[in-house]
Amino acid sequence: TFGIVVAMLSVIVLIPLASVLVYSLKISPAEFVGLILKENVRNAFITSIVSSFIAAVINTIFGLIAAWTLVKYDFPGKWLLDGLIELPFALPTAVAGITLSKLYSDTGFFGKGLSKIGINIAYTQAGIVMALVFVGLPFVIRAVQPILEKMDGQYEEAAFMLGASPRKTFFKVILPELKPALLTGFGLAFARGIGEYGSVIYISGNSAKNRTQVVSYVIMQKLSYIDYESATAIALVMLIISFLLLLFVNIVQVRQSQRTNLL
């Protein structure tokens, strides 16, 4: 079984990642740095990272609210809502991008009203954030929900008996227990957002002038020009960023596991 696992990981993960490194090393360090610091590439990285961070923060806040609602309250259609949360996982990202761009365009269902008050979503950086919120929200909800379900209600009762207000109970008792799960969900949503392509390609507009190009689109541009070295060089930077984010998530999970064992 160990051999099967190593073979599968090599074919599916390790060899493709190694090929990215090999192709990117075909250019000199000076060329590598110059490529990454090009205006359109630099702006694409800034757009992807900033938009992903904003979307991850939004997902963390509303993901906590959604998970709290699903765990703490009973209401008609709860099972349906709980199932719909995983829709972004099953729905092709291109379909999500087309749907969001249609809804939030100047003639769309939501975009028409927003454009009348001067708010444009489609083909702007706000549209990118909107798409990333859509694809990243389930990560936070599914990370927080099991912790809330397993949390002993005696902690809250003890806090109330000691005279703590509901707000103080939440921030002093409940939130510290949810912090590792929230950080995990944040990291996963952030990592997903940086590498997202299908859901943002239609709603972003892909304009270098308006800085709505994301890194994944720039890579596709390089591939269409048969510039594999440049594409893999940009992909290598994205790989490093994703690796650091996943390392952060693993560190949080390990520390939470150690804390749980100590308790």
Side-chain angles (χ1 to χ4, degrees):
T1 55
F2 178 75
I4 293 173
V5 171
V6 172
M8 290 297 293
L9 285 176
S10 298
V11 172
I12 298 175
V13 179
L14 298 180
I15 293 177
L17 294 183
S19 67
V20 172
L21 180 61
V22 170
Y23 272 109
S24 62
L25 291 177
K26 289 185 177 181
I27 61 178
S28 66
E31 291 175 331
F32 182 89
V33 174
L35 171 67
I36 299 302
L37 294 181
K38 277 186 177 180
E39 185 178 4
N40 66 319
V41 178
R42 185 179 68 249
N43 290 338
F45 270 110
I46 293 173
T47 299
S48 293
I49 293 174
V50 172
S51 299
S52 298
F53 181 83
I54 295 173
V57 171
I58 295 173
N59 281 330
T60 301
I61 296 172
F62 287 97
L64 174 58
I65 296 173
W68 183 277
T69 303
L70 289 171
V71 173
K72 298 294 184 178
Y73 299 99
D74 289 321
F75 50 87
K78 177 180 176 179
W79 62 271
L80 179 61
L81 179 61
D82 191 28
L84 288 176
I85 286 172
E86 296 183 353
L87 183 62
F89 289 151
L91 188 69
T93 54
V95 175
I98 294 172
T99 303
L100 289 173
S101 61
K102 179 64 176 177
L103 286 174
Y104 289 97
S105 66
D106 292 342
T107 58
F109 183 78
F110 296 120
K112 185 183 296 184
L114 292 173
S115 63
K116 291 180 179 179
I117 57 176
I119 300 176
N120 296 316
I121 302 296
Y123 316 124
T124 66
Q125 293 185 5
I128 299 175
V129 174
M130 178 72 68
L132 297 182
V133 168
F134 176 80
V135 299
L137 185 61
F139 288 101
V140 179
I141 296 177
R142 292 309 186 219
V144 174
Q145 194 173 0
I147 308 301
L148 281 173
E149 291 173 347
K150 295 178 181 179
M151 187 177 293
D152 195 341
Q154 293 180 355
Y155 293 118
E156 297 177 59
E157 295 176 4
F160 289 140
M161 291 178 64
L162 292 173
S165 63
R167 180 178 178 180
K168 190 173 184 179
T169 300
F170 176 79
F171 284 102
K172 297 294 185 180
V173 178
I174 299 175
L175 190 59
E177 295 295 321
L178 297 178
K179 184 178 178 181
L182 288 171
L183 290 175
T184 298
F186 173 85
L188 292 174
F190 191 15
R192 170 66 186 272
I194 290 177
E196 182 59 27
Y197 177 76
S199 62
V200 299
I201 198 68
Y202 296 102
I203 197 172
S204 65
N206 307 311
S207 171
K209 179 180 179 181
N210 297 326
R211 296 188 177 184
T212 58
Q213 289 184 347
V214 294
V215 179
S216 54
Y217 175 78
V218 175
I219 292 177
M220 289 300 299
Q221 267 191 328
K222 298 295 183 182
L223 291 175
S224 65
Y225 298 150
I226 318 180
D227 187 0
Y228 296 113
E229 289 79 9
S230 299
T232 51
I234 300 172
L236 179 61
V237 177
M238 291 185 64
L239 181 62
I240 294 173
I241 295 174
S242 299
F243 175 79
L244 293 175
L245 287 172
L246 293 178
L247 180 63
F248 164 75
V249 170
N250 287 328
I251 291 173
V252 170
Q253 291 176 341
V254 169
R255 289 187 176 181
Q256 175 63 11
S257 179
Q258 293 174 346
R259 179 175 177 273
T260 303
N261 292 333
L262 289 174
L263 294 176

